[in-house]
Amino acid sequence: MSMNLADCDRAREGFPRPFPNTPTNVLEQLSLRGKVAVVNGAADGIGLAVAEAMAEAGANVALWYNSNDRAVQKSQELASTHGIKSTANKVDVSNADSVQNTLTQVVKDFGKIDIFVANAGMAISKPILEQTLDEYHKQMSVNVDGIVHCSKFVGEIFKRQGFGNLIITSSMSAHIVNVPTDQPVYNGTKAFITHFGKSLAREWREFARVNIVSPGFFDTKMGASPECLNEAYRMSALGRQGHTKEIKGLYLYLASDASTYMTGSDVLIDGGYVLP
C-alpha cells in the first residue's frame, strides 16, 4: 500500500496488466462452451439449478452429491438434453480425502476444472443453548470444513493450471441476525466462508478469481421454515421467496467471461430482505 503521493506516482513493474482476451459480444462472453464446471450440493435446490445453468451454457458438468442419488439421474438428463458430458460423484465434503480423491477423478474424466461452485451446506436452526455440541460440530464440518477442503484442493489444481474460478455459496445470514429463529451457529458459518472467500480472492490473484453468492430465502428444502415463512414474505421487499430459476443467471455470470473484472465480491440475492 502506498503511504504518500510520491509512492503513488511511481510506476510499478508489471502494471497495468493487460485486458483479458475475451469476446466483446456479451452473449459470447456468457457461453461456457468447452469449459468444465464442478457443482457440489447439486442433487436439488440451488445446486441443481446452478448445474443446469452451467450445462445450458455449454459447460461439461460434474454434479457432486452426498446422500441424494437423484443427482445421478439429473446428470444423465443434462448430458442428453444439452449434448454435454456430465458425471455424478458421491462426495462427503466434510472428509478431506473424499474431496481430494474426487477432484483427482474429475480431472481424469474431464482433463481440467475451470469452475468450482462450493454450494454444499446444511442448517440446524436452533439457539446455542438448545443446540448440542454434536449438532454444532456437524454444521461446522459441512459449512466450514467442507468449503475449506474444496477450496484448498481445487485451489491447488487452479494454481497448477494457471487459471480457475471459485464461486462460494454463502447466505444473507452472513450479513444479518435472522428473525424470528435464533441460529447463531449457522449464521457464524456463513460469515466465516464469506470472509474466507474474500481472502482467497487476494491470495489467488495471480491465477484464479473467487466470488461469493449470498442468497436469501429460496423455495427449496433450505428455504424459510414453516415458522418463518410469513416473516420471510413480510421482510422481503418483493414479498415472496425466490424461485431457483431466478438465481441461475447470477452464477452463470460469475462463472463466465462476462465477469472477468470481478473478484472478491459478495453478491446478495435476497429479494431485498436485508434492506430494513
Side-chain angles (χ1 to χ4, degrees), residues 15-94:
F15 296 95
R17 293 173 178 169
F19 297 127
N21 183 23
T22 55
T24 56
N25 181 284
V26 70
L27 295 182
E28 293 178 12
Q29 290 176 3
L30 289 166
S31 172
L32 299 182
R33 188 69 59 187
K35 294 190 177 183
V36 176
V38 180
V39 183
N40 66 23
D44 57 18
I46 289 175
L48 177 57
V50 172
E52 290 172 345
M54 302 293 118
E56 288 162 2
N60 299 314
V61 188
L63 282 69
W64 285 18
Y65 68 100
N66 182 25
S67 57
N68 187 352
D69 60 8
R70 180 175 180 238
V72 177
Q73 176 189 346
K74 289 298 180 181
S75 172
Q76 295 168 350
E77 292 175 0
L78 290 178
S80 174
T81 301
H82 302 292
I84 53 98
K85 180 177 179 180
S86 182
T87 61
N89 305 89
K90 184 176 175 61
V91 188
D92 176 4
V93 296
S94 68

Side-chain angles (χ1 to χ4, degrees), residues 115-119 165-169 210-213 251 254-255:
I115 305 143
F116 191 100
V117 181
N119 173 76
N165 187 344
L166 174 64
I167 305 169
I168 295 173
T169 301
V210 184
N211 289 290
I212 304 102
V213 176
Y251 280 89
L254 293 175

Side-chain angles (χ1 to χ4, degrees), residues 160-175:
R160 287 198 301 270
Q161 295 176 159
F163 60 87
N165 187 344
L166 174 64
I167 305 169
I168 295 173
T169 301
S170 184
S171 172
M172 68 176 182
S173 300
H175 296 256

Side-chain angles (χ1 to χ4, degrees), residues 132-152:
T132 68
L133 288 179
D134 284 344
E135 290 171 331
Y136 158 75
H137 288 300
K138 178 64 175 176
Q139 285 186 94
M140 294 294 290
S141 72
V142 176
N143 294 359
V144 173
D145 295 347
I147 296 292
V148 172
H149 296 158
C150 292
S151 300
K152 175 174 174 55

